[in-house]
Amino acid sequence: MDKKEALKKIAKRLRIYSLKMTTEAGSGHPTTCLSMAELIACLFFDEMKYNVKNPYDWANDEFVLSKGHAAPILWAAYAEAGIIQKKELMNLRKISSTLEGHPTPRMKWVKAATGSLGQGLSVGVGMALAMKLGKSSARVYVMMGDGECAEGAVWEAANTASYLKLDNLCAIVDVNRLGQSEATMHGHDMSSYEKKFRAFGWDVMKIDGHDVGQILKAFENARLSDKPTVILAKTTKGKGVSFIEDKNGWHGKPLKENDLKIALDELGAMPEIDSRKYVKTPEKANDPGFIKRFSFKKNIYEGKVPTRRAYGNALLNLGKINNAVISLDGDVKNSTYSEDFFKKYPERSFQIYIAEQNMVGMGIGIAAKGFIPFIATFAAFLSRAHDQIRMAAYSFSNLKLVGSHVGISIGADGPSQMGLEDLGIFRAIPGCVVLYPCDAYSSEGCVESMVRYKGLAYLRTTRPATPLLYSKGEKFPIGGSKVLRKSENDKALIIAAGITVFEALKAYEDLKDENIMVSVMDAYSIQPIDKENIIRSAEASGRKVITVEDHYPHGGLGDAVASALGGKADIISLAVSNLPRSGKPEELMDKYGISADHIKKAVRKAVNGKW
Amino acid sequence: MDKKEALKKIAKRLRIYSLKMTTEAGSGHPTTCLSMAELIACLFFDEMKYNVKNPYDWANDEFVLSKGHAAPILWAAYAEAGIIQKKELMNLRKISSTLEGHPTPRMKWVKAATGSLGQGLSVGVGMALAMKLGKSSARVYVMMGDGECAEGAVWEAANTASYLKLDNLCAIVDVNRLGQSEATMHGHDMSSYEKKFRAFGWDVMKIDGHDVGQILKAFENARLSDKPTVILAKTTKGKGVSFIEDKNGWHGKPLKENDLKIALDELGAMPEIDSRKYVKTPEKANDPGFIKRFSFKKNIYEGKVPTRRAYGNALLNLGKINNAVISLDGDVKNSTYSEDFFKKYPERSFQIYIAEQNMVGMGIGIAAKGFIPFIATFAAFLSRAHDQIRMAAYSFSNLKLVGSHVGISIGADGPSQMGLEDLGIFRAIPGCVVLYPCDAYSSEGCVESMVRYKGLAYLRTTRPATPLLYSKGEKFPIGGSKVLRKSENDKALIIAAGITVFEALKAYEDLKDENIMVSVMDAYSIQPIDKENIIRSAEASGRKVITVEDHYPHGGLGDAVASALGGKADIISLAVSNLPRSGKPEELMDKYGISADHIKKAVRKAVNGKW
């Protein structure tokens, strides 16, 4: 059979499945699948090379469905390729099926969860970069919607892709003109998209997205380009079924049983073809040969040292023994101290400039290919990538995030630069490890713990230099804590982390002079928190607990301790109680209620029973 | 004196102040001020018109310093204009001064906090739109850095500005080539910026940013354009002081005392000029004549109604009586139900397309001009704008945000679409009101409460239809709660909100059959939470509290209740305990532990004392 005829047949099969699946599920986005049937047919059954037996084969081309709501046609393509059974398609969106409403890696061929629009291109940029690093000659294809091109994250990714000369990256925009609630800003004005991508340094091709010949030619040309290439495919939403074609009001709506019958009649019988024969298998390729060792050499410190400085040292030494470790920076590497790694391992260091969303999205793609990306910026600016962090969780991503300059202890730069909600962002994610060292040694120990953990992990570092409490090589296991002061007569337990550990220790000394003995705990593992030790220590300290943190009152240490105690002790939670301002660190810590003086007051209040 | 000569003198004065201020403060970014001294001199002392006596004068041109780290030169300009005293400049970054390290509206001429880069253009777009709405002929100027042009939010804003034909908007990019840790991606390649802005539909001018003549001419041309205009100003970081000019490693570093002396010697004596004489005062202008009434007409409901549907109705009726109310949509208005307002009040409705960051940033600008923007999208996608929401707080913004499709109760669409961390985002912000209605009547009541509140407020709405619990016109004051079930023999208190209220009521009925009586509370005001009523009700129910919420365990209702109780009762917190997946709402609520069955189990556990 002629290739083009075969691909047209496959496209029709994909259409029929997409319609049936969504009607069976009672929800989903059939019209957005129909506009890209020819594109998917050409991609999966001619252009891409992949080993149907192994989604992790290093030789595979990769595919990212950025317009995640088109999941049904992706599942249908995998069924046509023989990767999943066709009968499984009718389980779309069921709780028992991996064929979710939007793709997640519960289905093994999906490497990154999508469905929050405008993120897929960053994932593809990360994958394409990882492939170059791993000397793969495979390619990455990202299928985007036209509506999502309004997301700034797309242009961050586009910028980086051309800067990094990722000629192994091909984006396809399914320009079907219609968004969810109305037409897109540019409708079918293809030149608007063309101008933008060209301005961002991409090769651009404009085609009829339903013309198999044009599609195949475009992919061929894209392979020859020395730039990232975007194929702007003019398409019709709902293509193939006349009563929904190019009509507003059909986004995210499955056909009713009757309408489905009419639609299937119009499309005609399911074409007979064994699509599996058209899948192209790649040549064998060697994987990058990762040496993933974790026990890096620790440093000796003297005097006061910022935890961020120790993070930089740890990353450098980790990089020496683990060639999977990658460092990404958003133009603050001299503040986060990623810069030493950048100098020593320029080939594994990437300047993403001030584009945090793309930096995290790329991290998901890089991690999906087996590398271990460390992404460091100011904690405040990680909030810029909150949606990408959220999607990293649903991607089960092995991403390591580092937020520096946390809290009011940064001082005079003012609130815009203070990370005061970061613990809340990361604690909200089930399974996300959150570590918050207070000195240089614990910083190094926490880096080792986070890299040993396979999954999302966050390290919180502090701007000012802090004294040394621990010693070289001490372990800081996930879920642990350190009791720093303890006696037989403790009347209360102070739980601190990061910079407030030192305020707690100051308070301890003063209270001791007043004959009030207290326990002091460093809860460096904010999540999971050391529930057992907290309960035990609270019980040994009169069930009076004071928490103190350089973070807003909600989402951080105080909440974590309250949740661990579940009512087993009285708690006073000290945290940054109001919108802060510029000032000196010590002034601010006093003004906003987290200094040693406030801790002492809280302890006295607790001990005197006046809550 | 020749105007150009005067402006050059003023520029030099601004340079001298910027250097002195930052050395005095011991921190700050003098070199980034020096690159824009001529631009600021021309803006504040020739181009812009403003009434120095009234920052809120509707006739004023507006200025947004998107590159917020250049705050010192902004403060110096205000001092030169006679708005603040010159001696105040030496209090830069002190805790007692409103001249913070990055601008905040503590200084009254600042309308939006900046310092998280790439956000100022959205604020300016919002202001320019508000001015058009209010029939002002004034203009908006946004001063940007080159480095921040890597942020996608800039391109979201650029896209919207040209789409909305904001010819009253002028952006200036201070292309000084150097970022914080190294050169920017494009350095002094002005054509890279030019291509991008042109592709996004802007008029572009490229000038020498130190040439006063070119600057004045560019502003003049910008005023004549029928598009938003960007002036790409090629500048030298550190300009005027040879040993820091165009040198990497000088970002965010004040000069040491000795270096300051050398720099001042090079710059020469402070030029004698009374800059106040060059400030241009605008013609009188009428403000938009806001009618800010809040008591809108309430609806009557029957059967089951989604809270999001009632939100749409409330917004529509509010719009009828309050002409300051504006609706912004990110192409989900048919899901959030903003669409009725869009149909009825198209002139106050704005389609921002899928660009949530810009939508929130614009909201800050719109609110700064006295309008009341309601911004509704899926709660999950508000995480995309977390950094802008953070900055809205520091802008003391009267922004109303609405997140629909919260939690696992959305069902089959899967986790990417589920708002599960939104309560945490908004509760983290001190002073932010968070309301979470469970039925149509409470939804309308909450809308009235949030619009009456002057400040940041968040409404959480639910996808599925829910039964009616309350009646037309019932009040839902901020900080309140409703006790739905109560007896003399209550053994526990169930605190729920939104969809889980109905699970709690189901559990109540079943437990009653088992002769276990419980109180049931609807904690619709998540922040501030009704601490008093919670404590009182817990004490009347055996000090056993069960919270249940369609949200992740951290940051939401459970934490709010635990914090309110502060150890005064035992608590079992039920929440979405793991990364969810696609499925039916009821299946998911059971699988992830927030259904009536789970509540019953928790109550039995609590009552039997086995925690």
Side-chain angles (χ1 to χ4, degrees):
Chain A
M1 194 178 347
D2 172 66
K3 183 164 83 177
K4 287 184 198 167
E5 285 311 306
L7 291 170
K8 282 183 201 169
K9 283 190 177 183
I10 295 174
K12 185 179 279 193
R13 289 176 65 89
L14 296 174
R15 281 200 169 91
I16 292 172
Y17 278 124
S18 298
L19 289 167
K20 285 184 172 176
M21 289 164 75
T22 47
T23 295
E24 172 70 22
S27 65
H29 304 74
T31 56
T32 204
C33 295
L34 265 50
S35 63
M36 54 193 263
E38 283 81 12
L39 292 165
I40 288 288
C42 293
L43 265 172
F44 278 77
F45 302 96
D46 188 73
E47 172 64 13
M48 289 204 300
K49 296 189 184 73
Y50 52 101
N51 171 0
V52 292
K53 295 196 177 132
N54 182 9
Y56 308 108
D57 191 323
W58 186 253
N60 286 350
D61 287 338
E62 293 284 358
F63 178 76
V64 181
L65 183 65
S66 187
K67 47 177 293 192
H69 50 297
I73 198 167
L74 179 64
W75 306 144
Y78 285 126
E80 283 293 296
I83 285 171
I84 56 174
Q85 290 195 304
K86 295 204 174 92
K87 66 180 182 193
E88 173 65 12
L89 294 179
M90 292 304 130
N91 294 326
L92 173 72
R93 293 176 162 237
K94 286 190 184 157
I95 199 165
S96 54
S97 171
T98 59
L99 308 186
E100 297 200 62
H102 294 74
T104 77
R106 287 195 177 93
M107 196 285 184
K108 297 297 175 200
W109 282 79
V110 173
K111 302 290 172 59
T114 53
S116 182
L117 290 170
Q119 297 196 17
L121 192 57
S122 292
V123 174
V125 169
M127 284 177 165
L129 178 63
M131 285 171 168
K132 293 242 174 205
L133 271 176
K135 309 221 185 314
S136 161
S137 58
R139 291 174 63 76
V140 181
Y141 297 87
V142 180
M143 176 67 77
M144 298 163 66
D146 47 355
E148 67 175 322
C149 292
E151 288 283 12
V154 168
W155 303 105
E156 294 182 8
N159 206 28
T160 303
S162 60
Y163 175 72
L164 294 175
K165 301 186 173 61
L166 298 176
D167 56 6
N168 55 345
L169 176 65
C170 178
I172 306 103
V173 185
D174 176 18
V175 187
N176 65 22
R177 194 185 72 82
L178 293 169
Q180 172 177 321
S181 76
E182 60 178 271
T184 60
M185 184 188 285
H186 298 314
H188 266 149
D189 173 11
M190 307 300 287
S191 68
S192 291
Y193 297 103
E194 182 181 15
K195 277 187 259 177
K196 290 177 184 177
F197 275 102
R198 280 205 201 285
F200 277 74
W202 285 54
D203 258 351
V204 182
M205 278 175 277
K206 289 184 293 184
I207 61 165
D208 174 345
H210 299 302
D211 182 323
V212 167
Q214 289 189 35
I215 298 170
L216 295 179
K217 187 73 194 160
F219 283 131
E220 195 183 320
N221 287 338
R223 261 180 275 129
L224 301 174
S225 173
D226 58 356
K227 291 179 182 178
T229 301
V230 61
I231 297 169
L232 300 172
K234 186 172 174 180
T235 62
T236 303
K237 202 161 174 172
K239 176 76 178 181
V241 179
S242 52
F243 65 93
I244 53 176
E245 265 188 18
D246 202 32
K247 292 231 180 9
N248 200 17
W250 276 100
H251 182 95
K253 282 188 191 156
L255 299 189
K256 300 235 162 63
E257 286 287 355
N258 266 351
D259 286 341
L260 177 64
K261 210 170 274 174
I262 299 166
L264 293 179
D265 277 352
E266 184 177 343
L267 281 166
M270 182 74 96
E272 295 284 336
I273 187 170
D274 183 355
S275 307
R276 289 175 299 178
K277 289 186 189 157
Y278 295 85
V279 173
K280 290 187 176 167
T281 306
E283 309 251 325
K284 285 221 159 83
N286 293 324
D287 70 26
F290 290 125
I291 303 164
K292 288 188 182 173
R293 288 195 293 153
F294 302 125
S295 276
F296 58 85
K297 196 177 160 218
K298 307 302 184 300
N299 292 281
I300 296 172
Y301 293 99
E302 276 180 24
K304 287 186 173 188
V305 185
T307 53
R308 60 188 170 120
R309 172 65 272 177
Y311 160 70
N313 297 341
L315 185 70
L316 181 69
N317 284 348
L318 174 61
K320 273 183 200 159
I321 57 150
N322 188 322
N323 66 357
V325 169
I326 302 280
S327 177
L328 301 183
D329 177 41
D331 193 19
V332 288
K333 62 184 185 294
N334 54 337
S335 292
T336 60
Y337 286 111
S338 303
E339 67 179 353
D340 294 337
F341 187 100
F342 266 66
K343 279 177 198 152
K344 182 87 178 176
Y345 304 106
E347 71 287 0
R348 285 190 272 146
S349 299
F350 299 95
Q351 182 55 263
I352 313 300
Y353 299 97
I354 310 175
E356 296 80 6
Q357 295 190 73
N358 180 50
M359 184 158 63
V360 174
M362 279 181 67
I364 297 172
I366 292 169
K369 296 301 292 178
F371 289 91
I372 307 174
F374 276 73
I375 294 175
T377 184
F378 284 25
F381 305 144
L382 283 175
S383 68
R384 195 62 152 266
H386 190 169
D387 199 8
Q388 281 78 7
I389 292 167
R390 198 174 71 82
M391 295 303 289
Y394 299 130
S395 301
F396 313 123
S397 195
N398 189 26
L399 209 58
K400 311 303 170 188
L401 291 139
V402 183
S404 70
H405 292 68
V406 301
I408 53 178
S409 58
I410 70 158
D413 268 335
S416 63
Q417 317 293 302
M418 297 169 173
L420 285 161
E421 46 287 281
D422 54 315
L423 291 177
I425 292 176
F426 289 99
R427 275 187 68 242
I429 300 171
C432 180
V433 163
V434 180
L435 302 176
Y436 185 12
C438 69
D439 82 342
Y441 291 119
S442 53
S443 191
E444 294 208 355
C446 287
V447 171
E448 183 162 327
S449 294
M450 81 191 283
V451 72
R452 282 184 183 280
Y453 176 74
K454 195 163 175 178
L456 203 57
Y458 175 60
L459 183 80
R460 187 176 212 237
T461 68
T462 302
R463 182 178 174 278
T466 47
L468 298 167
L469 280 187
Y470 301 106
S471 52
K472 185 191 163 194
E474 190 162 342
K475 300 284 180 203
F476 288 81
I478 289 168
S481 62
K482 305 276 181 182
V483 176
L484 300 173
R485 299 288 185 273
K486 193 182 173 177
S487 80
E488 295 296 306
N489 301 312
D490 290 342
K491 301 286 186 261
L493 165 65
I494 307 171
I495 304 180
I499 196 148
T500 60
V501 166
F502 303 95
E503 299 300 313
L505 292 174
K506 268 186 242 165
Y508 167 90
E509 293 298 334
D510 293 351
L511 290 165
K512 195 174 165 190
D513 291 345
E514 299 174 25
N515 285 318
I516 303 176
M517 298 304 292
V518 293
S519 294
V520 176
M521 179 186 287
D522 172 9
Y524 67 86
S525 178
I526 304 282
Q527 179 159 291
I529 193 124
D530 193 351
K531 188 170 171 175
E532 205 179 309
N533 200 17
I534 287 173
I535 293 177
R536 193 170 48 228
S537 300
E539 284 172 350
S541 320
R543 294 175 191 269
K544 309 277 188 195
V545 174
I546 290 90
T547 65
V548 54
E549 63 192 304
D550 195 359
H551 187 272
Y552 279 138
H554 301 311
L557 176 65
D559 280 352
V561 168
S563 159
L565 283 168
K568 289 193 177 63
D570 293 337
I571 306 174
I572 298 178
S573 293
L574 304 178
V576 178
S577 53
N578 210 337
L579 297 168
R581 61 189 299 152
S582 290
K584 291 184 188 148
E586 55 277 20
E587 288 173 342
L588 295 172
M589 290 181 71
D590 202 52
K591 182 177 174 72
Y592 294 100
I594 59 168
S595 65
D597 274 352
H598 288 276
I599 298 172
K600 287 187 277 180
K601 272 181 215 159
V603 168
R604 288 187 207 112
K605 200 168 148 193
V607 170
N608 296 331
K610 287 175 195 154
W611 289 75
Chain B
M1 194 178 346
D2 172 66
K3 182 165 83 178
K4 288 184 197 165
E5 285 312 308
L7 291 169
K8 283 182 200 170
K9 283 189 177 182
I10 295 174
K12 185 179 278 191
R13 289 177 64 90
L14 296 174
R15 284 201 166 89
I16 292 171
Y17 278 124
S18 298
L19 289 167
K20 284 183 171 176
M21 290 164 74
T22 46
T23 295
E24 173 69 22
S27 64
H29 303 75
T31 56
T32 203
C33 295
L34 266 48
S35 62
M36 54 193 265
E38 283 80 12
L39 292 166
I40 288 287
C42 292
L43 265 172
F44 279 77
F45 301 96
D46 188 74
E47 172 63 14
M48 289 203 300
K49 297 189 184 72
Y50 51 102
N51 171 0
V52 293
K53 293 193 179 136
N54 182 9
Y56 309 108
D57 192 323
W58 186 254
N60 285 350
D61 287 339
E62 293 284 358
F63 178 77
V64 181
L65 183 63
S66 188
K67 48 176 292 192
H69 51 296
I73 198 167
L74 178 65
W75 307 143
Y78 285 126
E80 282 293 297
I83 286 171
I84 56 174
Q85 291 196 303
K86 295 205 175 91
K87 65 179 181 191
E88 173 66 13
L89 294 179
M90 292 304 130
N91 293 327
L92 174 70
R93 294 177 162 238
K94 285 189 186 160
I95 198 164
S96 54
S97 171
T98 61
L99 308 185
E100 296 200 63
H102 294 74
T104 77
R106 288 195 176 91
M107 197 286 185
K108 297 297 175 200
W109 282 79
V110 174
K111 302 289 172 60
T114 52
S116 182
L117 291 170
Q119 298 196 17
L121 191 58
S122 292
V123 173
V125 169
M127 286 177 164
L129 177 64
M131 286 171 167
K132 293 244 173 202
L133 271 175
K135 311 225 183 309
S136 162
S137 59
R139 292 175 60 77
V140 182
Y141 298 85
V142 180
M143 176 68 78
M144 299 162 66
D146 47 356
E148 66 175 322
C149 291
E151 288 283 11
V154 169
W155 302 105
E156 294 181 8
N159 206 29
T160 304
S162 61
Y163 174 73
L164 294 174
K165 300 186 173 59
L166 298 176
D167 56 4
N168 56 345
L169 177 64
C170 178
I172 307 102
V173 186
D174 176 18
V175 187
N176 67 19
R177 193 185 73 81
L178 293 170
Q180 172 178 321
S181 77
E182 58 179 272
T184 60
M185 184 188 285
H186 298 314
H188 266 150
D189 173 13
M190 306 301 286
S191 68
S192 291
Y193 297 102
E194 182 182 14
K195 276 186 261 176
K196 289 177 184 176
F197 275 102
R198 280 207 200 283
F200 277 75
W202 285 52
D203 258 351
V204 182
M205 278 175 277
K206 289 183 293 184
I207 62 165
D208 174 346
H210 299 302
D211 183 322
V212 166
Q214 289 190 34
I215 298 171
L216 295 178
K217 186 73 193 159
F219 283 130
E220 195 183 321
N221 288 337
R223 260 180 276 130
L224 301 174
S225 174
D226 58 357
K227 294 180 181 178
T229 302
V230 60
I231 297 170
L232 299 172
K234 185 173 175 179
T235 63
T236 303
K237 202 159 175 174
K239 176 75 178 181
V241 179
S242 52
F243 65 93
I244 54 175
E245 265 188 17
D246 201 31
K247 291 229 178 14
N248 199 18
W250 276 100
H251 181 94
K253 282 187 190 156
L255 300 188
K256 299 237 162 62
E257 287 287 355
N258 266 351
D259 285 341
L260 176 64
K261 210 171 275 173
I262 299 166
L264 294 178
D265 277 353
E266 184 177 343
L267 282 166
M270 183 73 96
E272 295 284 336
I273 187 169
D274 183 355
S275 307
R276 291 175 299 181
K277 289 185 188 159
Y278 294 86
V279 173
K280 290 188 175 166
T281 306
E283 309 253 325
K284 287 220 158 85
N286 293 325
D287 69 27
F290 291 124
I291 303 165
K292 289 188 182 174
R293 288 194 292 154
F294 302 125
S295 276
F296 57 86
K297 197 179 159 215
K298 306 303 184 298
N299 293 281
I300 296 173
Y301 294 98
E302 276 179 23
K304 287 187 173 189
V305 184
T307 53
R308 59 189 171 120
R309 171 66 272 177
Y311 160 71
N313 297 341
L315 186 69
L316 181 69
N317 284 348
L318 175 61
K320 275 182 197 156
I321 58 151
N322 189 321
N323 66 358
V325 169
I326 303 278
S327 176
L328 301 183
D329 176 43
D331 193 19
V332 288
K333 61 183 184 296
N334 54 338
S335 293
T336 59
Y337 287 109
S338 303
E339 66 179 355
D340 295 336
F341 188 100
F342 265 66
K343 280 178 198 153
K344 183 86 179 175
Y345 304 107
E347 71 286 1
R348 286 190 271 145
S349 299
F350 299 95
Q351 183 53 263
I352 313 302
Y353 300 95
I354 311 175
E356 296 81 4
Q357 296 188 76
N358 180 51
M359 184 157 64
V360 174
M362 279 180 67
I364 299 172
I366 292 169
K369 295 303 291 178
F371 290 91
I372 308 174
F374 276 73
I375 295 175
T377 185
F378 284 25
F381 305 144
L382 284 174
S383 68
R384 195 62 152 265
H386 191 169
D387 199 9
Q388 279 79 6
I389 292 166
R390 197 174 71 84
M391 296 304 287
Y394 299 129
S395 302
F396 313 123
S397 194
N398 189 27
L399 209 58
K400 312 304 171 188
L401 292 138
V402 182
S404 70
H405 291 68
V406 302
I408 53 179
S409 59
I410 70 159
D413 267 337
S416 63
Q417 316 294 301
M418 297 169 173
L420 286 161
E421 46 288 281
D422 53 316
L423 291 177
I425 291 176
F426 289 98
R427 277 187 67 242
I429 300 170
C432 180
V433 163
V434 181
L435 302 176
Y436 184 13
C438 69
D439 83 342
Y441 292 119
S442 52
S443 191
E444 294 209 355
C446 287
V447 170
E448 183 161 329
S449 293
M450 81 191 284
V451 72
R452 282 184 184 280
Y453 176 75
K454 198 167 171 167
L456 203 57
Y458 175 60
L459 183 78
R460 188 177 213 237
T461 67
T462 300
R463 182 178 174 279
T466 48
L468 299 167
L469 280 186
Y470 302 105
S471 51
K472 185 190 163 194
E474 190 162 341
K475 299 284 181 202
F476 289 81
I478 290 168
S481 60
K482 304 276 182 183
V483 176
L484 301 173
R485 300 286 184 275
K486 194 182 173 174
S487 80
E488 296 296 306
N489 301 314
D490 290 342
K491 301 286 184 262
L493 164 65
I494 307 172
I495 304 179
I499 196 148
T500 60
V501 167
F502 302 95
E503 299 300 313
L505 291 174
K506 268 185 245 167
Y508 168 90
E509 293 299 334
D510 293 350
L511 290 164
K512 197 174 164 188
D513 292 345
E514 299 174 24
N515 285 318
I516 303 175
M517 298 303 293
V518 294
S519 294
V520 177
M521 179 186 287
D522 172 10
Y524 68 85
S525 179
I526 303 282
Q527 178 159 289
I529 192 127
D530 193 350
K531 187 171 171 173
E532 208 179 306
N533 201 17
I534 287 174
I535 293 176
R536 193 171 49 230
S537 301
E539 283 172 351
S541 319
R543 294 176 191 268
K544 308 277 187 195
V545 173
I546 290 89
T547 65
V548 54
E549 64 191 304
D550 196 359
H551 187 273
Y552 279 138
H554 301 312
L557 176 65
D559 281 352
V561 169
S563 159
L565 284 168
K568 288 194 178 62
D570 293 337
I571 306 174
I572 298 179
S573 294
L574 304 178
V576 178
S577 52
N578 209 338
L579 298 169
R581 61 189 302 152
S582 289
K584 290 183 189 148
E586 56 276 22
E587 286 174 341
L588 294 173
M589 291 181 70
D590 202 53
K591 182 178 173 72
Y592 294 102
I594 60 169
S595 65
D597 274 352
H598 288 276
I599 299 172
K600 286 188 278 181
K601 271 182 215 158
V603 168
R604 288 187 207 112
K605 198 169 149 193
V607 170
N608 295 330
K610 287 175 195 153
W611 289 76

